[in-house]
């Protein structure tokens, strides 16, 4: 915990002498700027601000003040198994969660995973998270997931779903509709989407789930363009039946045709990139290059920390790397050389902040540092680290140089939830105990052999090609002739 006494809820806060990345429409950068927070909102921005008496001052000199980051797709309930599936393929993920062991999660396990994930997000400067909560096989599981979000310090979009049942069945269940109405998720701190995928079945059985979403006034988020799972047929059916809207968020969108991208662009939807996931799992090559060509808005996401890093710094740098790699490979295949990168660090910082806000319909509230917006703010500052100086290119620094250890202070809705590198007002020990109970429960139910086998899948046989330059017994024809002579 930070030793500095923290302000009460009604005391103004000012960041002094920061390098401010506003991420406003002009992407204004203010060097040696101050940002004043009064209540839950940003009151003023500029150098040398006059502030009310008693304002709590945070020395931001040498640091970068940026909007809180926004993760548009995170399976929070799986965080209790952090790192377990590090060597999985997408098929192994599907088998483990969908077909075999996902049903072993109790409501309290969903709660524990969400609680840990929420702390994890705040610690890394993510102030708004979409809980893509597709492990909710009962209303009790859904209640636990929602309560965990309510008990956590963050801004959330709750996206309930159920991978163990058909969306046209669970979404149309009267008990689910009653749960949604009871949930009351229309506040600035908690919104809701509906999370389900579209199979491409010509009968379009998902129609019922879309109709429920429409009746309840909920946007839909869907895994689209996932190799072997969802494809162009799903996009076509959504389009032909009038269910593609500007509020729809398509996750991955990695194996789609130009026709599908054109449908997304024409209807105003956006795509959530989970680049680490797309690179590792096989949904398809991360499609930022294709989305740029079609003018489709993008945001970034973690996906699941069963596999991947749980911060958007990694998402930014992996997205830059994947996009640039693709550009170079395509050029090399044509005998050309890329001399200027199309995708810039500034772009991915935008996607991690403002892009997420726009995708979720929260742009009027958050995603940029502007007077009147909610005070969701992240100060990157670490005087004890050589990685924080010099700051020559602020966007490049955020996208490629810093990490969660450099997250000094985080405000959500004007409240300090991390300060001087430590989480504030959170019972980490309680969360740890709950997660340990979940892991112990799963290990006990599965048994050591199954648990270990799931974590250590078989390694395919590898054949090393014969290489004549590596073996002393090999002699080229020229060598043989010289020896004989």
């Amino acid at each position: 915990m930070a030793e500095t006494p923290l302000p009460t809820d009604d005391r103004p806060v000012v960041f002094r002498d920061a390098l401010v990345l506003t991420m406003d429409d002009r992407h204004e950068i203010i060097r040696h700027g101050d940002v004043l927070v009064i209540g839950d909102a940003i009151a003023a921005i500029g150098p040398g601000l006059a502030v009310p008496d008693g304002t709590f001052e945070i020395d931001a000199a040498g640091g970068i003040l940026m909007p809180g980051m926004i993760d548009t797709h995170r399976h929070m309930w799986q965080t209790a198994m952090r790192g377990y599936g590090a060597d999985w393929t997408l098929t192994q993920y599907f088998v483990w969660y969908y077909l075999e062991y996902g049903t072993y999660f109790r409501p309290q396990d969903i709660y524990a995973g969400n609680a840990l994930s929420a702390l994890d997000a705040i610690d890394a400067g993510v102030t708004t998270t979409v809980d893509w909560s597709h492990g909710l096989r009962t209303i009790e599981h859904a209640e636990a997931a929602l309560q965990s979000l309510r008990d956590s310090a963050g801004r959330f979009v709750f996206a309930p779903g159920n991978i163990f049942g058909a969306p046209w069945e669970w979404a149309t269940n009267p008990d689910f509709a009653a749960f949604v109405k009871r949930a009351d998720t229309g506040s600035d701190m908690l919104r809701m989407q509906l999370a389900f995928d579209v199979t491409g079945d010509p009968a379009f059985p998902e129609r019922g789930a879309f109709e429920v979403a429409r009746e309840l006034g909920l946007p839909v988020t869907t895994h689209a363009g996932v190799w072997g799972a969802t494809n162009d047929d799903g996009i076509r059916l959504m389009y032909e039946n009038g269910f593609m809207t500007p509020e729809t968020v398509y996750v991955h969108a990695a194996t789609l045709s130009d026709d599908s991208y054109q449908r997304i662009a024409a209807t105003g939807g956006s795509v959530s990139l989970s680049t680490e996931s797309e690179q590792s799992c096989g949904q398809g090559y991360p499609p930022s290059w294709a989305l740029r060509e079609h003018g489709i808005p993008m945001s970034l996401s973690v996906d699941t920390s069963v596999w991947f890093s749980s911060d958007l710094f990694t998402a930014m740098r992996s997205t830059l790397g994947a996009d640039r790699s693709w550009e170079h490979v395509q050029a090399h295949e044509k005998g050309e050389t890329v001399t200027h990168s199309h995708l810039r660090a500034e772009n991915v910082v935008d996607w991690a902040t403002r892009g997420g806000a726009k995708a979720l319909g929260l742009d009027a509230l958050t995603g940029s540092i502007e007077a009147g917006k909610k005070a969701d703010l992240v100060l990157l500052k670490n005087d004890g680290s050589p990685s924080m100086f010099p700051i020559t290119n602020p966007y490049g620094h955020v996208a490629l140089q810093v990490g969660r250890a450099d997250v000094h202070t985080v405000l959500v809705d004007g409240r300090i939830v991390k300060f001087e590198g430590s989480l504030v007002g959170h019972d980490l020990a309680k969360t740890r105990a709950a997660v340990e109970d979940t892991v112990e429960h799963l290990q006990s139910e599965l048994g050591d052999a199954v648990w270990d086998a799931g974590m250590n899948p078989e390694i395919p046989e590898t054949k090393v090609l014969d290489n004549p330059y590596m073996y002393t017994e090999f002699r080229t024809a020229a060598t043989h002739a010289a020896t004989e002579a």
Side-chain angles (χ1 to χ4, degrees), residues 84 96 101 104 439-457:
Y84 179 91
W96 205 97
Y101 309 120
Y104 284 73
V439 173
E440 183 178 315
H441 160 70
L442 292 172
Q443 285 183 298
S444 175
E445 288 291 323
L446 272 59
D448 290 343
V450 171
W451 177 265
D452 291 343
M455 186 165 43
N456 300 288

Side-chain angles (χ1 to χ4, degrees), residues 156-168:
F156 298 101
V157 176
F158 180 47
N162 179 6
I163 56 176
F164 311 110
W168 53 92

Side-chain angles (χ1 to χ4, degrees), residues 333-351:
E333 287 181 351
K334 295 182 287 187
E336 299 173 354
T337 298
V338 175
T339 59
H340 293 74
S341 295
H342 281 88
L343 187 63
R344 302 304 175 98
E346 182 176 353
N347 300 130
V348 295
V349 175
D350 183 89
W351 298 345

Side-chain angles (χ1 to χ4, degrees), residues 209-286:
F210 279 108
E211 290 174 342
V212 167
R214 181 172 289 174
E215 290 168 8
L216 295 173
L218 300 179
V220 169
T221 177
T222 184
H223 293 111
V226 175
W227 181 264
T230 57
N231 54 38
D232 293 309
D233 287 334
I235 297 294
R236 177 182 55 77
L237 288 164
M238 289 176 63
Y239 183 83
E240 291 175 351
N241 288 276
F243 292 115
M244 294 179 74
T245 74
E247 294 76 31
T248 307
V249 177
Y250 306 87
V251 178
H252 303 308
T255 50
L256 295 176
S257 66
D258 280 349
D259 183 70
S260 289
Y261 290 133
Q262 288 162 0
R263 293 177 194 265
I264 293 172
T267 53
S270 66
V271 168
S272 176
L273 294 171
S274 300
T275 307
E276 266 197 293
S277 177
E278 289 132 23
Q279 285 178 315
S280 180
C281 297
Q283 290 98 331
Y285 197 86

Side-chain angles (χ1 to χ4, degrees), residues 164-185:
F164 311 110
W168 53 92
E169 294 174 349
W170 59 260
T172 58
N173 187 314
D175 291 341
F176 179 74
F179 163 74
V180 171
K181 293 173 182 177
R182 189 167 66 247
D184 188 23
T185 55

